[in-house]
Amino acid sequence: MADLEKKNLEELDENTQEGSNQEDSQKSERVFVRERILDRLESRRRWVRRGITLFVSAVIFGTVACLVFVFLRPHMEEWFRKEEIPEETAIHLPRDEEMTRPPESEPPQIAESEQLPTEPETETQPTEDIKEVVESAVESYQWNITDYENLYRALGEIATKVNKGVVTVTTRTPTTDLFDNPIETEGKVSGVVWNITSYEMLILTGYRTQEGEVTVEVTFCNGTKAAASVKSADGRTGIAIVSVPLASVDEDTREQVQPVPLGNSIEAKLGQPVILAGSPKDFVGSIVYGMITYVRSGVQREDMDVRMIYTDVSVGSQATGFVVNLKGQIIGLLTAGAAGSATAGAIGISDLKSSIERLSNGSVLAYMGIVGQDVTEEISETRKIPRGVYISEAVLEGPAYNAGLQSGDVLVALDDTEILSVNMLEGFLEGKLPEEPVTAHIQRVGRDGYTAMEFDVILGGR
């Protein structure tokens, strides 16, 4: 029985082995049957199809990449520009006094041997005859309405160009009403873009910054608005420099805005035609034509004296703006203190260039707080007053007043620097900072004449 069972198992193993061998042979036979040998033509077509597919895919991906780049480029430029802003370079305004031409000297003498041969003299028409011809032509010319229109058209072209740089500066300040309800007050004044650097627009405006201001907004000539910040301000003269980041201004506005250059107010003359721009009629962008009726030099201001330019234009007491010559240059700045109800008065821009330069560089102006006038050598001899700056007023609660300086004192030096004029005082303060101590050397009059005294003054900020 055991032998029979063993024999059956052996036969079963043999059958199983034969079955597996048959399956292996069938598999190899099936694999052999499925093999295909491709000819060269069919292989070449497959590579061509692959190449076309790869080319079409590259075109699609490239097009998508270009569209994404065009869409993201402005945002990426703005992001990376903030990190790559170059270091701020100081702005320098040459003083108009430095630009005056030096007195002409006598021409050098040329030796006879070096003299050039002269051309033979020709008969020239006498100057008197030419003058008579011109006067006769002018008198005989018949002026008409077209000439009048052409004149105002030329003035309008200048005003239109200036208005491309005029902006509206809007300030918003949080406060409370009578019932302690929070409200926001809004103020608007005119300003002018006077300089554009590689990363910001600098705007000169005539207003006094308020405590607690939250936002400052600038509206350009095309109506576009941009967030801004007060870079620095001079509360004594009522001017400020407002900065607008160039990255926040769209390209179309950059092309339309044109900075208005600062001119030379020292050259202002009586009868000179001028244009008042900004908001002389309480509307930003309004213009008025007029002429200079009076120029007054040596007007006393705190820590400085200025040249005032008066015109025949009637403006309101809140008018702000600029006096522009026919070259399109600013020669005067209207402020709340300079404007009047009868005629417009403006501070000469040449006297403000020092302040504009420092404010544009973000500096806070040092303040001493004296109103004075020069004691010239002639006045010193006739009035027996020491040379220096005669203090006509020590501004109440100002640094000089708090230190003990009085009206009637003569300021002769600050630290080791001799002060003989208000301009020298202003130049000395240019190099100082608020909270910086200085020693004021003065001469004070008494029963026995003038006595030298010293006071320690802690400068303030304007």
Side-chain angles (χ1 to χ4, degrees):
M1 189 67 179
D3 294 337
L4 180 60
E5 186 176 359
K6 183 176 180 180
K7 184 178 180 181
N8 292 334
L9 290 174
E10 289 177 355
E11 291 178 358
L12 180 62
D13 291 340
E14 290 178 359
N15 295 333
T16 303
Q17 187 174 2
E18 289 179 2
S20 62
N21 292 336
Q22 291 177 0
E23 290 179 1
D24 292 341
S25 62
Q26 290 177 359
K27 287 182 181 179
S28 61
E29 196 174 310
R30 285 198 299 269
V31 171
F32 176 77
V33 170
R34 289 181 180 178
E35 287 182 354
R36 294 181 59 192
I37 299 175
L38 301 177
D39 58 359
R40 293 184 178 180
L41 180 60
E42 186 176 355
S43 177
R44 191 175 302 167
R45 289 175 179 175
R46 177 177 296 180
W47 282 107
V48 170
R49 286 197 297 270
R50 290 181 179 178
I52 293 174
T53 303
L54 180 62
F55 176 77
V56 173
S57 301
V59 171
I60 294 174
F61 290 143
T63 304
V64 173
C66 289
L67 293 176
V68 172
F69 177 77
V70 171
F71 176 75
L72 292 179
R73 179 181 177 182
H75 304 284
M76 298 297 291
E77 287 182 350
E78 182 176 351
W79 295 338
F80 286 102
R81 185 182 289 112
K82 294 180 181 178
E83 299 178 359
E84 299 177 358
I85 289 179
E87 294 184 2
E88 184 174 352
T89 55
I91 295 173
H92 176 67
L93 276 174
R95 306 297 183 265
D96 293 329
E97 290 79 4
E98 299 173 1
M99 298 171 62
T100 55
R101 189 173 63 179
E104 297 181 357
S105 57
E106 295 183 0
Q109 299 294 328
I110 303 177
E112 293 183 1
S113 59
E114 299 178 356
Q115 292 182 355
L116 299 175
T118 58
E119 296 181 359
E121 296 183 357
T122 57
E123 294 184 1
T124 57
Q125 189 174 2
T127 306
E128 292 77 7
D129 294 345
I130 298 176
K131 184 178 180 181
E132 290 178 359
V133 171
V134 173
E135 290 179 351
S136 175
V138 172
E139 291 176 358
S140 60
Y141 182 80
Q142 298 295 323
W143 299 91
N144 53 46
I145 194 67
T146 303
D147 298 317
Y148 187 79
E149 291 176 347
N150 291 336
L151 174 63
Y152 273 86
R153 184 179 296 109
L155 291 174
E157 291 176 357
I158 300 173
T160 300
K161 185 177 180 180
V162 170
N163 272 341
K164 291 183 178 181
V166 173
V167 301
T168 303
V169 180
T170 304
T171 60
R172 297 182 179 89
T173 308
T175 184
T176 56
D177 59 13
L178 296 176
F179 303 98
D180 292 332
N181 297 318
I183 59 175
E184 190 176 61
T185 59
E186 184 178 275
K188 291 187 178 183
V189 292
S190 60
V192 63
V193 179
W194 82 270
N195 192 11
I196 300 178
T197 68
S198 59
Y199 53 91
E200 67 179 342
M201 289 186 178
L202 295 174
I203 297 170
L204 172 64
T205 182
Y207 84 103
R208 302 177 187 271
T209 57
Q210 302 178 19
E211 295 293 335
E213 279 184 357
V214 173
T215 57
V216 179
E217 187 179 65
V218 170
T219 305
F220 294 101
C221 57
N222 62 350
T224 303
K225 297 182 179 181
S229 60
V230 178
K231 196 162 189 179
S232 194
D234 181 2
R236 301 295 169 176
T237 56
I239 64 174
I241 296 295
V242 173
S243 172
V244 177
L246 206 59
S248 63
V249 182
D250 60 85
E251 187 174 351
D252 181 62
T253 302
R254 294 185 201 177
E255 294 178 355
Q256 293 190 42
V257 173
Q258 295 185 10
V260 183
L262 306 182
N264 186 349
S265 60
I266 297 177
E267 298 177 350
K269 305 296 182 183
L270 296 180
Q272 177 181 342
V274 291
I275 301 172
L276 268 65
S279 55
K281 292 297 184 181
D282 299 329
F283 298 99
V284 177
S286 58
I287 59 171
V288 186
Y289 304 134
M291 60 180 289
I292 298 176
T293 55
Y294 185 59
V295 178
R296 182 183 176 188
S297 303
V299 178
Q300 298 178 15
R301 290 268 182 153
E302 298 173 22
D303 298 339
M304 62 188 304
D305 58 21
V306 298
R307 179 181 286 99
M308 293 296 298
I309 300 175
Y310 295 94
T311 70
D312 60 346
V313 177
S314 176
V315 296
S317 59
Q318 299 300 319
T320 60
F322 317 93
V323 179
V324 181
N325 60 19
L326 297 189
K327 296 179 182 179
Q329 301 171 338
I330 298 174
I331 61 172
L333 177 64
L334 292 172
T335 62
S341 58
T343 57
I347 301 176
I349 201 68
S350 297
D351 300 310
L352 296 175
K353 284 186 176 181
S354 172
S355 298
I356 294 173
E357 175 186 308
R358 288 180 286 165
L359 295 176
S360 298
N361 290 319
S363 302
V364 179
L365 309 186
Y367 172 61
M368 188 170 178
I370 64 172
V371 178
Q373 62 184 41
D374 301 347
V375 179
T376 62
E377 186 175 354
E378 181 181 356
I379 294 176
S380 177
E381 292 178 357
T382 56
R383 301 289 184 87
K384 305 304 179 184
I385 301 175
R387 289 288 309 276
V389 175
Y390 179 84
I391 301 176
S392 56
E393 180 187 0
V395 180
L396 186 64
E397 299 301 330
Y401 177 89
N402 293 334
L405 276 70
Q406 303 174 3
S407 300
D409 292 342
V410 179
L411 178 65
V412 296
L414 288 171
D415 290 338
D416 297 328
T417 304
E418 186 179 26
I419 304 296
L420 299 178
S421 66
V422 176
N423 286 335
M424 294 180 69
L425 167 63
E426 185 179 2
F428 176 87
L429 294 177
E430 284 184 14
K432 298 298 179 180
L433 297 173
E435 306 300 328
E436 189 171 346
V438 297
T439 301
H441 301 270
I442 65 128
Q443 294 282 340
R444 178 168 292 176
V445 66
R447 292 182 178 180
D448 301 327
Y450 283 90
T451 304
M453 302 181 69
E454 295 182 2
F455 295 89
D456 294 327
V457 181
I458 304 298
L459 298 178
R462 297 176 69 98

